[in-house]
């Protein structure tokens, strides 16, 4: 079963995923939340498969030697010990909106159509906090755990 994680990128050199990842469930609420984000801007909450962040080889996206554990409550650093960032991940990350621009879109999202609103409000609040802190934010999809 796939899990989805709202994830801050707290550094780019070396690339570092923040420890404060939020698992987004249930899926039906996440889908509605992503649809609303997409209406604000098509690249506002991009999703990437977590296993494609890794690389064993500069010509390959994904790893057969390493696997991310997004349940781990630590920052995940891609500094070669043990993780290397893949080239396809780098290309994906180059297309992210700047945090200030994304923050404006996030703050204008209307959550009034959500019932219940608790998850969507919590996700947006944390997402907006990370953006205001200058972090990029992505949605990671973790397959098969």
């Amino acid at each position: 079963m796939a899990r989805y994680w709202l994830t801050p990128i707290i550094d780019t050199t070396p690339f570092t995923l923040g420890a404060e990842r939020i698992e987004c469930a249930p899926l039906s609420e996440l889908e509605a939340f992503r649809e609303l984000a997409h209406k604000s801007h098509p690249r506002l909450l991009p999703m990437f498969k977590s296993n494609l962040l890794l690389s064993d080889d500069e010509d390959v996206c994904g790893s057969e030697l390493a696997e991310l554990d997004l349940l781990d409550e630590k920052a995940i650093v891609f500094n070669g010990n043990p993780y290397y960032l893949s080239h396809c991940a780098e290309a994906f990350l180059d297309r992210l909106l700047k945090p200030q621009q994304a923050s404006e879109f996030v703050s204008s999202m209307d959550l009034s159509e959500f019932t219940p609103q608790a998850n969507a409000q919590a996700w947006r609040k944390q997402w907006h906090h990370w953006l205001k802190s200058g972090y990029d934010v992505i949605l990671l999809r973790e397959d098969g755990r």
Side-chain angles (χ1 to χ4, degrees), residues 3-6 22-27 30 33 123 139:
R3 290 183 172 174
Y4 298 86
W5 300 87
L6 192 61
I22 298 173
E23 184 177 358
C24 297
L27 182 57
L30 176 59
F33 188 73
W123 298 337
L139 186 66

